[in-house]
Amino acid sequence: MASLTHSLFIFFSCFLCFINAILVLGSRSNFASFPVAKDVATLQYVARVSHGSPLRPADLVVDLGGSFLWMDCDSGDVSSSNGFISSCSVNCSRAKFHEPGSKTCLLNTNCHVFPDNGVTGLTSVGELVQDIVAVDSVDRLKEGEITTVDHFLFSCAPSFHLQGLASGAKGMVGLGKSSISLPSQLSSSIGHPQKFSLCLPSSSSSSSSNGVLVTGSGDTLFGAKITRSLAYTPLVVKQNGYSIHVQSIKINGRRVGFRGEGRLEAKLSTTVPYTTMESSIYATFCKAYVEAAALMNMTRVATVAPFGLCFSSEGGLVPEIDLVLQSEMVKWRIQGRHSMVKVSQERICLGVLDGGLEQGSPIVIGGIQMEDNLLEFDLDSSMLGFSSSLLLKGTTCSSSLQDSKLKQFM
C-alpha cells in the first residue's frame, strides 16, 4: 500500500511539473541553446549558462558523460531564487535513482548527491538545489527569445572540486542519460524532443568563434540543409556517457588490420582533448599511419609530448582517417586539422594518443576530432547524427550564434 501511495505521489508530482511547464513556456519552443567556447589553456569546452535571481552567467565545462549540472555556489552573489531540496522529496529520488542504497531518507535534511569532476575523475559530496535557468529558445512567432525555466535542479559542490577545470569555470554541465541532466530537464520543462546537438568550436580567439549546445531540435538554428544531410549511426547510451561501434578503420582508403577482428566501441568525450586508443590498437594504427604518410612523402620528426607521431609541416596534405561504422556507406571521416595538431611552424603531430592497456573503451574520440562537426544525440531513437567537418559545407559551428540574444550575457 505504501508503495502504491508513493507511486501515485510521483505521478501527480510529475503531472503538476508538466502543467507548470506549459503555463510558463507554452508549447511553442522547440529548442534551447547555449554558447560554447574553447579554453586555449586546457582545450576544454565551456558552456555559458545564465541562472539565478538576478540572472548571472556561469561558465561550465561541458561533460558528455556527466549526470547533472554542478557548480561552486559559495563564490559570487547569492541567488534569491535558490532553494535546497529535501532528502525525502521526489526530486531527490530522481537525482539518486541510479545510486545504490539511496532509497532511505531523513526528515528535515537536505538531499545530498555526488558530483563527478569529469576531468580529474574525482567525486565529492554536494547538496541538490533548484533555481531559475535562462535559455535562448524559439517562439515560432519570434526567434531568439530569452525565457526562464523555474525549479531547475543542480548540485552545489565545494570550491576544491573545481580543480583541473578551465580558469574561470564554476563547475560542469552534464549531458548524460540522467533524469536531471541538462537535456533531460529542458526536454520535460519546455516540451521539446529528447535530443540535443553539440557543435564544438575549433578556435578560441574571440566570442565570435563560439560553438553551441542545443537541446531539442536544431533545425531552426543550423538550417534544414545541414541537419538533413547528417549521417546516422546507432548510439550506445550508458549511464556514464555515449559510444558508437566502429566496424573498421581505414587510412587513405586502406583498411587497418587489428588482431581479433571485430567491432570496436568508441566512446565520445568532451573532457579528453585528443582521441586515445588502447595500446595494442594504437600500435597497429600508428604502424599503418606511418606507412600511409611515407607514401605521401611526409617526413617524420622528433615527437613532442604528449604526442607519439610527429611530422614536418611541409607539404600540407596528410592521410585521411575513416571510422567505418555500421556499413561501408557510413563513415566518420577525420582529416586535416581534425587529425593533426600544429605544435610549431615546422612540426605537426597526430592528434591520436596511446590510452594505455587499461583504457575503459578501446577507443575514446576526443574533442579535436569532434570540432566543427555537428553531432545530434537522439535519445528517443538511440541514434547519433554527424555531419563530419562543417568546413566542407562552407560553414562553422560559430555561424549559428550570430543572432542569439544570449550574447548579452556573454
Side-chain angles (χ1 to χ4, degrees), residues 64 175 177 194-196 232-238 241-245 266-268 326 332 375-385:
L64 268 175
L175 306 180
K177 180 63 173 176
Q194 275 272 14
K195 66 170 63 174
F196 68 92
Y232 286 88
T233 191
L235 182 67
V236 181
V237 182
K238 297 184 178 180
Y242 306 97
S243 300
I244 57 176
H245 285 136
K267 183 178 180 179
L268 303 170
Q326 66 267 34
W332 181 329
L375 301 175
E376 180 189 85
F377 296 78
D378 191 329
L379 305 185
D380 283 332
S381 63
S382 293
M383 296 293 288
L384 174 73

Side-chain angles (χ1 to χ4, degrees), residues 133-245:
V133 167
V135 298
D136 191 4
S137 64
V138 159
D139 183 310
R140 290 198 179 101
L141 302 178
K142 195 188 304 179
E143 294 189 10
E145 180 161 316
I146 301 296
T147 189
T148 57
V149 175
D150 297 332
H151 313 300
F152 184 89
L153 299 172
F154 63 94
S155 170
C156 289
S159 298
F160 67 79
H161 205 48
L162 299 176
Q163 180 181 357
L165 301 188
S167 177
K170 298 297 183 183
M172 304 190 79
V173 54
L175 306 180
K177 180 63 173 176
S178 158
S179 62
I180 64 166
S181 69
L182 180 89
S184 294
Q185 287 196 74
L186 294 186
S187 174
S188 59
S189 296
I190 299 177
H192 58 223
Q194 275 272 14
K195 66 170 63 174
F196 68 92
S197 300
L198 194 59
C199 207
L200 298 177
S202 57
S203 172
S204 52
S205 58
S206 66
S207 61
S208 63
S209 58
N210 282 339
V212 63
L213 163 65
V214 180
T215 64
S217 173
D219 288 8
T220 306
L221 200 60
F222 295 105
K225 182 178 179 180
I226 290 178
T227 55
R228 289 174 183 170
S229 70
L230 298 182
Y232 286 88
T233 191
L235 182 67
V236 181
V237 182
K238 297 184 178 180
Q239 191 59 31
N240 64 342
Y242 306 97
S243 300
I244 57 176
H245 285 136

Side-chain angles (χ1 to χ4, degrees), residues 65-120:
S67 297
F68 48 79
L69 187 156
W70 64 264
M71 70 174 72
D72 172 19
C73 302
D74 294 334
S75 60
D77 299 329
V78 177
S79 169
S80 62
S81 53
N82 184 298
F84 291 102
I85 301 299
S86 167
S87 67
C88 294
S89 67
V90 174
N91 281 332
C92 187
S93 297
R94 285 174 60 201
K96 303 172 75 170
F97 180 78
H98 292 283
E99 292 179 15
S102 60
K103 305 302 181 184
T104 59
C105 68
L106 297 174
L107 294 174
N108 301 318
T109 60
N110 294 332
C111 181
H112 288 90
V113 290
F114 301 95
D116 291 320
N117 182 320
V119 174
T120 64

